[in-house]
Amino acid sequence: MCCEKNILSKMIFILLIITLVIFAIILNQENTRNPNILVAIAENGDNTTLGITTIKFSQNEIEEGTAITHQTGSDEIIINENGIYQISYQLYGVQDVSGTFNFNAALSVNGQILEDTFNQSPVIRNSTENRMTITSTVILKLQAGNVLKLNGISIEDIEYQTARIDIEKIR
């Protein structure tokens, strides 16, 4: 009787361990979901329009998943899946002449500027260092078929020499 209890206890213990291992594997698979990430880069020369323009990105540094696509050289980022997206960007602007220096950035969806994403640089007057980087991070609910763009906005002759946009579908 004593040996039977001992064997039964060992079997229950082994079954418990196997159950925990299976549970850990399932949990790990859920945590390593397929990422949907796009990192696009604009280099000096990609954006030659001064003042008000949409930013073109000449390279895709990271492309994972199918929820977000971008054709290199284009200013359009296509959303392929409904969801919640975290979007971060950096936009570097330069003005070669001294005078008022100010530029803004905003995201647009389907050609409509999203006012709540509007990001403004300080106004600098008569500075010899007319260059600045604007950065921002927003979370947006987007739909399949949406076209996302990063916009540089200024009445001054600002050249947008470099830019980066990082987009991740978070849900």
Side-chain angles (χ1 to χ4, degrees):
M1 189 78 154
C2 180
C3 279
E4 291 177 3
K5 284 184 181 180
N6 200 8
I7 291 173
L8 183 60
S9 295
K10 287 180 183 180
M11 288 179 67
I12 290 172
F13 178 74
I14 290 171
L15 284 174
L16 181 63
I17 294 295
I18 291 171
T19 304
L20 289 174
V21 168
I22 291 171
F23 181 75
I25 290 169
I26 291 169
L27 187 62
N28 187 42
Q29 286 177 343
E30 287 180 7
N31 288 337
T32 57
R33 62 179 169 74
N34 293 333
N36 285 286
I37 300 170
L38 173 73
V39 175
I41 307 291
E43 295 181 329
N44 197 2
D46 288 350
N47 296 287
T48 56
T49 302
L50 302 178
I52 299 173
T53 190
T54 55
I55 304 301
K56 295 180 183 88
F57 298 94
S58 63
Q59 45 179 297
N60 293 337
E61 193 169 278
I62 299 172
E63 288 180 280
E64 293 288 330
T66 59
I68 315 154
T69 54
H70 172 256
Q71 186 79 19
T72 55
S74 172
D75 62 353
E76 295 184 346
I77 297 167
I78 309 300
I79 303 301
N80 299 315
E81 296 177 10
N82 295 345
I84 309 248
Y85 292 80
Q86 179 172 306
I87 304 161
S88 300
Y89 66 82
Q90 299 172 339
L91 182 58
Y92 177 68
V94 174
Q95 185 179 24
D96 288 334
V97 297
S98 191
T100 302
F101 178 77
N102 171 256
F103 73 98
N104 313 288
L107 295 170
S108 64
V109 174
N110 301 329
Q112 298 296 312
I113 296 284
L114 302 176
E115 294 294 327
D116 60 344
T117 68
F118 194 79
N119 190 1
Q120 183 173 351
S121 75
V123 177
I124 301 173
R125 298 193 192 283
N126 298 322
S127 173
T128 58
E129 294 296 321
N130 287 346
R131 51 190 92 273
M132 188 174 307
T133 301
I134 293 179
T135 62
S136 184
T137 299
V138 298
I139 295 176
L140 298 174
K141 186 174 186 177
L142 299 171
Q143 304 299 315
N146 284 163
V147 177
L148 180 73
K149 293 184 181 185
L150 175 60
N151 301 270
I153 305 164
S154 181
I155 58 172
E156 281 78 54
D157 288 335
I158 306 300
E159 179 184 351
Y160 305 102
Q161 290 186 349
T162 60
R164 175 185 174 116
I165 192 163
D166 301 60
I167 305 170
E168 180 178 9
K169 182 179 180 195
I170 58 176
R171 215 176 84 178

